[in-house]
Amino acid sequence: MGAQKKRAAAATAAARVSEDPDDLARQPLQAILLADSFTTKFRPITLERPKVLLPLVNVPMINYTLAWLEAAGVAEVFVFCCAHSKQVIDYLENSEWFSQPNFTVKTIESHNIISAGDALRLIYEQNVIHGDFVLISGDTVSNMLLTQALQEHKERKKKDNNAVMTMIIKKSKPSPITHQSRLGTDELFMAIDPNTKQLLYYEDKADHSKGTICLDKMLLAENPSISLHNDKQDCYIDICSPEVLSLFTDNFDYQHLRRHFVKGLLLDDIMGYKIFTHEIHSSYAARIDNYRSYDIVSKDIIQRWTYPYVPDVKFCGNRATKLERRGMYRASEIEQSRSAQVGSFTVIGCGTKIGSNSKISDSVIGEGCTIGSNVLIEGSYLWDNVIIEDGCELRHVIVCDGVIMKAGAVLKPGVVLSFKVVIGERFVVPAYSKVSLLQQPTVHDSDEELEYADNSSGTVEFSSIQGTADQSNGEMTSESSEAHKPKLGTGGVGYIWSICEGGQEEEWRHSVAPIPEDKLAELSEAMDDDQELVTQDRTALSTSGELISDSNASEGDDNEDSKDDSVYFEKEVEATFLRAVEENVKVDHVILEVNSLRLSYNMTSADCAGAVFYSMMKLAVKTPHSSASELQQNTANIITTWQKLLKSYLLEIDEEIEIILKFEEMCLESAKEFSPLFARILHILYDKDILQEDAILRWADEKEGADESDKVFVRQSEKFVQWLREASEEED
Amino acid sequence: MPDTQALVNDFLNKLKKRGSKIEGSQATARQTAELLRSVISQQRVPYTNQAGALIDAVKAIGEQLIAANPVELAVGNIVRRVLHIIREEDLSLTTAAIGGLNLSAVSDDENDDDRDGDSTLSAAAVAAAARSTLRPPSLQTLLEDTPVSAAVPQTSSSGGDSEGKSKSADKSSRSRKLKHDVIEAVNELIQDIVTCHEQIAEQAVEHIHQNEVILTLGSSRTVLEFLFAAKEKKRSFRVFVAEGAPRYQGHLLAKELVARGLQTTLITDSAVFAMISRVNMVIVGAHAVMANGGVIAPVGMNLVALAAQKHAVPFVVLAGSHKLCPLYPHNPEVLLNELRSPSELLDFGEFSDCMDFGSGSGSPLLHVVNPAFDYVPPKLVSLFITDAGGHNPSYMYRLIADYYSADDLVVQRRATAGN
């Protein structure tokens, strides 16, 4: 057996060698279509139906992929089925794909495969791929022409045998606020050689909290120029040479196509395999990775970016649909009440009934749905045979086949209702919840790569789907039956899944609902705070916006960053001062230390005065105290002890004013305890000869013209200032 | 029969690809006619009501073809033309048989010769005769009665001779004859479609005069041949080509014109109004000509037509007879327009941030609409030039009545009701 295989492999290798360019051109193009995403992002829906068969604008996703492959000139497609393989195979057998001339679809089935890497290893063993092939997953929508990319790939391959893969990329700007692309995937960093288009670096899991990405210095040493992009989207369409399969076999730990394989190849410089990119401009390509991309790709299809794969063009057995004004797609036999309002960019499937005064906009309604009156449907996806009774509200939700919503039920944004769930009367399903007839798997797979591996391929699940309310109640495992019993209102059937992985915090990222306004505001605020500290040192880097550096990360490298430095300087001075207090260091020594700090940070004496004063007041606040008067006493003590230190920096009147301003700032922000004591402490400072009367008067004068809010402390110390004025006049 | 099915499926696939496999309505029309010809030749005909069987077969396939790409009206036109041909041939055979009977009643002894003469008479001529007796005569037949009956006999009599020898009463030979005649007539139709460019181009000299300035929009094979034919006849003239955004096929046309030695000026679509005062004649191609004389043409054409009207410049539309559609543009069955991909207008990547559905209300503020066609009302058209000559817009419905029978106007509805 082994020998046989080896011989076969040798034969193919020999065939490969003997191929001249003409043969290459004549060889039919093959494709591997992974009909399994090996992720759990579409749970709970994918527990009952494989992802590739989920309807995307009323057509199962796999049809988009197959239609594209056929149009792109692929002659033979191997559909790799894993989870729910039977459903996929049954579907394909009944579809028209098996009867196409010049386009063969073959299925490869396996149950114990848990990753794309395993799938490719299995395909390699079967020895069916003989030349360059397209690697794609069954949830990809595209209308690009493959010829040019293929040509480039073949030419590169001819010149350099190590160019094993061409990755299709597309420009798409990620949101600067959420650091995710419009498809809901994480911001992707790619380093590409601008001349050869070679991919040098690929990072899709960049840590934004840290705000840095690390590039190997060798990249810069070896390549004359590198362009680093964060506005490229990975289309997950790859043109691969047959070596890719053997690479997967050689490196048995490769699981994920990108995280392991691509990164592995990029890091591994022993073999010297290279990956290249091909950017598409006018054509469309996107992969449905999560609920957000489901929503967005659906809308792109409705907006016709995927032409000719749009609802009104029959590309794969979809029902005849007509495009009407304002982007309304309507199939035949729709019953619609005269008073119902169907808004723009809506698709309505065949045989659907819509009741009076219902409003539908930006939504996709499947076939045979019944929608009652006064229903509001906004930005939602209803699959087939859904029943919505009167007065329901649906905003940005996905509702699977056979769901029944009783009158007055409300779905908040981001809800996903899996197959045949029943929502009780006037029940409000909270935002981002997932509801299924099946219970959430209690044993949570630690490996998030695992798709729900059901070797019985759905037979068990089917019985449960058919179950009525009683059956599914009975099905519940005993220990969790009552505790977990979800309330879906009277007559409701199904379980609300508790949110796992990432928790509520991250739910909005991948939900079908748009990101709520307040979340965006919150995020942009957080970003602004970050930015504020960074802005100055960004000048050098801001042109290449990808390298966002945080203040914490730039640790004093940049001396020109004055604001940053002043913060550090203040901290250093405070630390020095506290140490001095604790260890009873002599005042002279402290002065020396602060001076050296001042020199190293290149600060003025006013800065020193401010910092020292700040540290002193901070110490006063930190010293335990029960009342304002006690605090005042503490402050007075500290000022008395350390007045020499402070005075050494008060050479000019400006520094004294600086101290008052600093104090004012503290009272407003960091040490609010002082605010009632402002006038008294000012008095103490005056008494101790730290502040000259001129300084106080100058400060009062300056503040005259300020805003009302700024004058709080001036007014508080009005009497004192008045007294000073009179005193000085007397002197005169 | 399975052969036919495979052919049909293959063609359906091509049609579904929307222009990426078959370029232009002429090619589509020719392939449709060829497909229907093979359907007819493979179709088994019963002894009675052979025409009915053929019509049903053609209708069943025609319905699929039309549904596969409703935008390409040429498919429906050809299906209807073929249906019309079957009806006409059937009618001519019946009248011939009736005529034969009449003749045999009059003269018994010489009936063989007479029948020979009868059956060698062309089917089309008989059809024309039948038309004139059974129906009110069309203007076309009245005007061109002699040339039609004079021109056609040679073509159809070649096959008709041998068949005609047998007795017309003989059912089997009659059925074969019907099929044969239909196939002959469809062959003629295909021939017409193939030669339509030359037929139209022949008339070029009558319309384009020395030192004229011609304006056209986008690219049309018919227009190219037309202009080139005038050039061949030593006419010297200049051509303004509007580029035809967003597909910019005008660029290709300009290139071809220059390659053939014509003085060409390329302008933007928006410059049409500025240039129209210097133009002597606008000559454009069409996607389809409707029964009311309205034109479905590449987007921007209405703009050109209005500009031409404003400056009283003749607006001439060239259309092969396969583009004449018997439907009216207000008919809901006619899919007048097609919205193509917005990517022809702008690069998705550049505008991806405008297309973000992830924030706000979930719908983007930017919509891109890219219609493929314009409708030019008949009052803006000065002249149609088809392979049958030049016609006024108001005359189009008569011309169309000659090509189609009223029973076939709704191919789809009849067929769906049948299903």
Side-chain angles (χ1 to χ4, degrees), chain A residues 341-388:
Chain A
Q341 294 174 27
V342 178
S344 54
F345 298 106
T346 300
V347 179
I348 297 180
C350 168
T352 288
K353 299 184 183 76
I354 302 169
S356 54
N357 290 318
S358 289
K359 285 183 190 164
I360 300 175
S361 61
D362 294 311
S363 299
V364 176
I365 315 284
E367 288 173 14
C369 294
T370 309
I371 294 164
S373 30
N374 299 313
V375 173
L376 182 87
I377 300 177
E378 214 180 270
S380 300
Y381 299 90
L382 273 61
W383 297 358
D384 299 345
N385 304 316
V386 173
I387 297 173
I388 310 281

Side-chain angles (χ1 to χ4, degrees), chain A residues 600-711:
Chain A
S600 72
Y601 280 93
N602 196 16
M603 291 292 168
T604 62
S605 57
D607 291 322
C608 295
V612 170
F613 180 72
Y614 176 81
S615 329
M616 286 162 71
M617 299 314 270
K618 203 82 183 199
L619 179 68
V621 174
K622 277 181 186 160
T623 327
H625 56 268
S626 53
S627 66
S629 55
E630 207 172 314
L631 177 65
Q632 189 190 345
Q633 192 55 48
N634 284 344
T635 317
N637 288 344
I638 290 167
I639 291 172
T640 328
T641 328
W642 296 98
Q643 55 177 306
K644 195 178 166 204
L645 171 65
L646 198 52
K647 268 185 196 156
S648 66
Y649 296 104
L650 299 177
L651 308 170
E652 302 265 343
I653 205 159
D654 288 341
E655 280 112 37
E656 291 174 24
I657 294 173
E658 169 76 26
I659 283 191
I660 305 177
L661 290 174
K662 191 88 198 170
F663 186 36
E664 214 178 3
E665 193 188 308
M666 282 181 76
C667 291
L668 279 172
E669 286 161 17
S670 50
K672 293 211 169 76
E673 294 94 328
F674 281 119
S675 47
L677 301 172
F678 185 83
R680 283 187 224 167
I681 289 172
L682 202 63
H683 197 200
I684 294 173
L685 289 171
Y686 175 74
D687 279 351
K688 302 280 177 203
D689 279 344
I690 292 169
L691 295 181
Q692 310 281 321
E693 57 184 51
D694 278 358
I696 297 172
L697 288 177
R698 190 98 75 79
W699 165 74
D701 289 344
E702 267 177 29
K703 281 283 165 177
E704 210 87 302
D707 290 345
E708 279 306 304
S709 56
D710 276 358
K711 282 190 181 171

Side-chain angles (χ1 to χ4, degrees), chain B residues 78-237:
Chain B
I78 295 303
V79 171
R80 292 183 185 98
R81 287 279 291 271
V82 171
L83 290 172
H84 179 67
I85 285 169
I86 298 171
R87 287 177 203 278
E88 292 284 89
E89 294 298 334
D90 186 40
L91 192 65
S92 80
L93 277 182
T94 340
T95 43
I98 292 167
L101 285 175
N102 287 345
L103 281 174
S104 60
V106 171
S107 61
D108 250 352
D109 42 0
E110 295 251 281
N111 65 357
D112 265 1
D113 291 336
D114 274 337
R115 247 171 247 153
D116 259 335
D118 243 355
S119 44
T120 45
L121 195 66
S122 85
V126 173
R131 229 185 290 146
S132 53
T133 50
L134 300 177
R135 267 183 248 159
S138 79
L139 197 55
Q140 172 88 13
T141 43
L142 286 180
L143 287 172
E144 297 170 11
D145 201 14
T146 34
V148 166
S149 45
V152 191
Q154 296 95 7
T155 50
S156 66
S157 60
S158 56
D161 258 345
S162 56
E163 294 291 320
K165 293 283 187 221
S166 58
K167 302 286 178 202
S168 58
D170 186 358
K171 290 272 185 186
S172 65
S173 79
R174 230 197 91 186
S175 77
R176 239 180 296 144
K177 181 160 167 57
L178 173 71
K179 213 155 118 177
H180 185 91
D181 287 354
V182 168
I183 289 169
E184 280 296 316
V186 174
N187 277 338
E188 266 172 56
L189 174 65
I190 294 170
Q191 202 53 42
D192 278 355
I193 295 167
V194 171
T195 59
C196 81
H197 291 320
E198 289 101 85
Q199 301 259 353
I200 295 172
E202 265 175 26
Q203 308 162 50
V205 206
E206 297 164 29
H207 298 281
I208 298 177
H209 306 294
Q210 194 69 11
N211 291 332
E212 273 192 338
V213 177
I214 310 292
L215 180 119
T216 187
L217 174 108
S219 176
S220 158
R221 179 85 202 286
T222 326
V223 171
L224 180 72
E225 297 291 338
F226 193 79
L227 296 175
F228 187 57
K231 158 87 182 161
E232 285 278 270
K233 298 272 165 61
K234 304 286 181 239
R235 285 282 146 81
S236 141
F237 56 98

Side-chain angles (χ1 to χ4, degrees), chain A residues 173 182 282 299 304 307 515, chain B residues 338-339 343 352 355 358 362:
Chain A
K173 285 188 196 120
R182 58 193 291 278
S282 62
K299 280 174 177 157
R304 308 182 75 78
Y307 183 92
I515 304 164
Chain B
E338 179 176 38
L339 293 179
S343 60
S352 60
M355 242 76 73

